[in-house]
Amino acid sequence: MHIAMIGTGYVGLVSGACFADFGHQVTCVDKDADKIAALRHGEIPIFEPGLEALVATNVAASRLDFTTDLAGPVAEADAVFIAVGTPSRRGDGHADLSYVYAAAREIAAAVRGFTVVVTKSTVPVGTGDEVERLIFEANPSADVVVASNPEFLREGAAIRDFKFPDRIVIGTSDERGRKALGDIYRPLSLNQAPLMFTARRTAELIKYAANAFLATKITFINEIADLSEKVGADIQEVARGIGLDNRIGTKFLHAGPGYGGSCFPKDTRALVKIAEDHDTPLRIVESVVTVNDNRKRAMARKVAQALGGNLRNKTIAVLGLAFKPDTDDMREAPSIPLITGLRDMGAKVRAFDPASMKEARRELPDIAYCDDVYACAEGADALVIVTEWVQFRALDLPRLKRIMKQPVMVDLRNVYRPDEMAELGFAYSSIGRDRA
Ligand SMILES: NC(=O)c1ccc[n+]([C@@H]2O[C@H](COP(=O)([O-])OP(=O)(O)OC[C@H]3O[C@@H](n4cnc5c(N)ncnc54)[C@H](O)[C@@H]3O)[C@@H](O)[C@H]2O)c1
């Protein structure tokens, strides 16, 4: 099938490359001319394991190409996916749908013949109705079905998630739309991935409900971690003890500095707004948003506590800046409010991240960036682990102790064991395992 992917970011590029790998003919479109030029030279604008090779193979097989011109590929397409950004709208937290609607208008002017227009971006309930209205307003004779197909991939494991999904949600009641999307995803249903057909609005809500639930799970274990510290329990064991119950499950029960990233923060905020607009406040999700926002900055106070409360002129080495390992994405990363908080308290900050330092420089221009862990730690008053990159799981601890000004580690991901760190002579604090 011919597919046009509008928006070539994390979701558009991964989805486009995977669809091409299934054998479809895919054109990825983006307004960002630099991004398209780079892709045409084989340069991948994001850090995502396996993506470069997947793109190269499919470009070489002439199944995947890149352009800034939307009209050509849309005219030829059987299906057009909208995968543009839906960031938080400045000021009120609603999802900003201006990119989605702009894409819909452009698509309306370009479609030829029967075409399924599919929203892959995460969008509030009812957005599909508005996309449909805009298309028929601009082009009343268009032969178009508008469907919702939310994406559940995770950055860092995006290709695997796309090719082996837990489920594929297809939201349309139109038979032609269902058939077209069923055909597009057929290679996956051979892998036994459940294809779930629903109404469009239901599909739109599934995506927000899923992200809000996962954000709630993380926030729940974070609060239980704070209580663990107060009562002298170990959060790692509490999490395992509850997670082994199949009804709860072990995933998303890792206590840490609060969730970040391009999805959970903006999607929880948007869901709160959607619910308010429908006069059905979601109190649990509202609390999750507030608790998580406060937590990120509280991490700076935790570091201060580890150094006796005063950070003035102290040097803090921060390991990990991206919101999670295996990505360079800095959107709403916990490292940002943490580092801002440290600097507000008078600390000097140095940082190292294996992939995100280029991105980080835009958000955090006033800190020092180091070439590796040990350059970062040299002479530091404290070392803070913020992102649990695999590179930080087996640090040379005796060496760190030798080169740091004092052996203080604040491990916000519980990578190390308190007893071992104490034996090595570190003043070590972590999440939900410190005795108050
Ligand atoms: N990043 C994730 O892990 C993830 C996972 C699931 C769902 N989502 C959702 O998918 C959507 C896209 O997210 P992303 O992280 O890929 O965003 P992104 O910001 O990385 O990419 C969006 C791209 O769309 C382009 N664009 C905007 N308007 C355009 C237009 N009219 N025509 C062509 N290109 C246009 C931008 O230039 C940008 O390159 C969002 O709604 C997000 O919530 C993201």
Side-chain angles (χ1 to χ4, degrees):
M1 295 186 70
H2 280 78
I3 294 175
M5 186 65 64
I6 314 302
T8 309
Y10 279 87
V11 167
L13 183 55
V14 171
S15 309
C18 288
F19 280 145
D21 211 43
F22 297 166
H24 301 306
Q25 193 64 44
V26 181
T27 302
C28 286
V29 181
D30 205 287
K31 287 248 178 271
D32 183 337
D34 291 343
K35 192 179 269 191
I36 294 299
L39 283 162
R40 284 183 158 168
H41 284 105
E43 290 161 30
I44 306 296
I46 53 174
F47 179 89
E48 181 61 47
L51 189 55
E52 193 170 347
L54 189 74
V55 168
T57 311
N58 285 284
V59 168
S62 304
R63 288 190 297 261
L64 178 63
D65 61 357
F66 303 99
T67 179
T68 52
D69 162 53
L70 178 143
V74 167
E76 279 185 28
D78 303 296
V80 179
F81 285 80
I82 301 177
V84 300
T86 49
S88 276
R89 195 163 66 189
R90 226 170 251 275
D92 67 3
H94 273 285
D96 178 352
L97 295 172
S98 55
Y99 303 101
V100 173
Y101 293 153
R105 288 193 190 92
E106 283 187 68
I107 292 164
V111 275
R112 302 276 176 276
F114 176 63
T115 313
V116 192
V117 175
V118 193
T119 337
K120 201 167 236 332
S121 301
T122 302
V123 293
V125 181
T127 303
D129 303 4
E130 181 60 10
V131 167
E132 186 174 271
R133 194 192 65 74
L134 285 170
I135 289 176
F136 288 113
E137 182 183 71
N139 183 353
S141 60
D143 188 10
V144 161
V145 166
V146 175
S148 161
N149 169 223
E151 182 51 57
F152 299 97
L153 63 79
R154 291 164 302 168
E155 288 173 21
I159 295 169
R160 203 186 178 286
D161 282 355
F162 196 91
K163 291 194 167 179
F164 300 94
D166 291 337
R167 78 302 205 188
I168 298 153
V169 174
I170 294 173
T172 172
S173 307
D174 182 281
E175 270 317 314
R176 289 192 303 168
R178 287 186 171 196
K179 175 162 186 325
L181 279 157
D183 287 347
I184 287 172
Y185 280 109
R186 178 157 310 122
L188 284 189
S189 49
L190 301 177
N191 290 351
Q192 309 275 306
L195 217 57
M196 180 182 169
F197 290 97
T198 74
R200 195 165 61 202
R201 285 178 164 243
T202 306
E204 289 169 339
L205 186 55
I206 285 171
K207 174 65 192 177
Y208 278 106
N211 273 1
F213 190 84
L214 295 172
T216 303
K217 218 173 160 187
I218 294 172
T219 307
F220 177 81
I221 205 67
N222 282 342
E223 285 205 310
I224 296 290
D226 292 345
L227 181 60
S228 289
E229 284 180 20
K230 292 280 158 59
V231 301
D234 179 333
I235 192 61
Q236 299 295 109
E237 289 174 15
V238 174
R240 186 170 150 76
I242 65 173
L244 288 174
D245 182 331
N246 284 332
R247 294 169 301 178
I248 295 173
T250 49
K251 293 191 177 150
F252 282 77
L253 283 184
H254 303 287
Y259 62 77
S262 66
C263 292
F264 287 0
K266 81 172 173 63
D267 291 348
T268 44
R269 280 197 294 269
L271 182 58
V272 164
K273 289 292 165 186
I274 296 166
E276 278 173 8
D277 284 353
H278 289 83
D279 213 8
T280 311
L282 295 179
R283 298 288 184 227
I284 293 174
V285 186
E286 285 171 17
S287 301
V288 166
V289 170
T290 312
V291 168
N292 192 67
D293 282 348
N294 292 339
R295 183 174 192 81
K296 289 193 206 169
R297 200 166 158 96
M299 291 301 119
R301 294 197 293 277
K302 191 174 176 74
V303 176
Q305 217 175 358
L307 285 174
N310 186 3
L311 290 184
R312 180 96 12 225
N313 294 323
K314 296 271 167 48
T315 299
I316 311 294
V318 171
L319 297 189
L321 295 165
F323 84 94
K324 66 172 181 178
D326 291 327
T327 181
D328 60 355
D329 202 333
M330 284 295 295
R331 287 178 279 187
E332 308 219 26
S335 62
I336 300 170
L338 165 74
I339 289 174
T340 313
L342 295 175
R343 298 189 73 242
D344 287 349
M345 286 188 257
K348 295 187 197 118
V349 178
R350 288 188 207 146
F352 170 70
D353 186 284
S356 73
M357 294 203 286
K358 190 167 154 233
E359 292 295 313
R361 278 195 167 89
R362 272 188 245 152
E363 299 278 348
L364 300 162
D366 298 323
I367 62 170
Y369 291 91
C370 302
D371 291 338
D372 66 47
V373 170
Y374 301 97
C376 190
E378 178 100 47
D381 293 281
L383 186 77
V384 186
I385 299 182
V386 185
T387 314
E388 68 280 32
W389 282 90
V390 73
Q391 290 90 328
F392 304 153
R393 287 178 183 272
L395 296 174
D396 182 344
L397 296 165
R399 180 175 170 196
L400 281 178
K401 194 179 165 206
R402 273 198 312 277
I403 62 174
M404 289 176 68
K405 192 166 173 197
Q406 43 184 348
V408 177
M409 184 191 282
V410 182
D411 177 0
L412 300 180
R413 299 290 182 174
N414 291 354
V415 173
Y416 291 97
R417 290 186 36 190
D419 48 352
E420 283 174 1
M421 294 304 285
E423 254 170 55
L424 284 165
F426 274 85
Y428 175 79
S429 48
S430 57
I431 301 280
R433 302 185 296 178
D434 301 334
R435 296 291 151 93

